[in-house]
Amino acid sequence: MAIKSYRGKRAKPTKGTSEDIKVSDYMSTDLTTFKPQQSVLEVMNTLIKKKISGGPVVNDKNELVGIISEGDCMKQISSSRYHNHPMQDVKVEDHMAKEVETIDGEMNLFDAADKFLSSRRRRFPIVQEGKLVGLISQKDVLKAALELKGNSWK
């Protein structure tokens, strides 16, 4: 007995459809970055001043070495208060997330949205040839959806 498939032939995506929208089309490239030796107090001031929730940590070669977030700073505040330690000498490298998940700039934006949902992350750095080239945030995906009108995704 032959098995019949009722699934129709899928058309290849055409240029300009949602299938063709890449992370690199919507990622931020003018980034606020931090250095491992920077103080956590400086990071907190920058986060507040620039109204951002975190950012990548890079070395002198612009290689991604971590991410620091508001949550990382909050943990430090709590720890410093509990142990009665001043925060002036606390360095980013001691409190940043060192295992950083990145995504490819060529990834489809809607696949990236799924990755945001499954990972519960707020931002993903984009690295190319070992160097930080951009960052995509949940807000960037929302902006893209508004631009695309959310109805036809074209």
Side-chain angles (χ1 to χ4, degrees):
M1 170 164 45
I3 298 175
K4 290 187 178 184
S5 171
Y6 293 98
R7 183 175 156 193
K9 182 179 175 186
R10 289 187 162 203
K12 292 191 182 209
T14 57
K15 204 80 166 145
T17 66
S18 65
E19 306 286 331
D20 194 41
I21 299 168
K22 298 176 187 173
V23 165
S24 60
D25 296 334
Y26 288 92
M27 70 182 186
S28 300
T29 55
D30 183 21
L31 303 177
T32 298
T33 60
F34 303 101
K35 298 288 184 187
Q37 293 300 316
Q38 212 169 345
S39 80
V40 171
L41 285 175
E42 284 180 72
V43 171
M44 289 168 33
N45 279 318
T46 301
L47 295 179
I48 291 166
K49 181 180 169 189
K50 298 209 173 195
K51 298 179 182 178
I52 57 176
S53 62
V57 181
V58 295
N59 63 18
D60 293 333
K61 297 176 186 173
N62 202 41
E63 297 166 330
L64 182 68
V65 295
I67 291 245
I68 187 127
S69 68
E70 290 171 321
D72 298 322
C73 295
M74 294 288 288
K75 288 176 198 169
Q76 178 51 44
I77 292 168
S78 180
S79 176
S80 291
R81 181 172 182 239
Y82 181 79
H83 297 289
N84 198 25
H85 291 140
M87 287 186 53
Q88 287 80 1
D89 298 329
V90 177
K91 302 294 180 208
V92 168
E93 65 188 346
D94 298 324
H95 297 282
M96 67 185 185
K98 293 176 181 146
E99 291 186 27
V100 180
E101 191 174 356
T102 63
I103 60 174
D104 188 343
E106 295 299 305
M107 177 185 262
N108 178 284
L109 188 71
F110 297 101
D111 292 338
D114 287 339
K115 191 165 179 103
F116 275 115
L117 291 171
S118 65
S119 71
R120 304 190 67 103
R121 302 239 190 278
R122 295 179 74 171
R123 68 193 65 76
F124 285 108
I126 293 91
V127 176
Q128 193 172 34
E129 297 177 20
K131 310 286 184 198
L132 179 68
V133 295
L135 188 96
I136 188 89
S137 68
Q138 290 182 358
K139 194 173 289 184
D140 295 323
V141 175
L142 295 177
K143 287 178 187 175
L146 285 176
E147 264 183 43
L148 298 168
K149 304 290 187 251
N151 291 327
S152 64
W153 300 111
K154 291 182 182 179

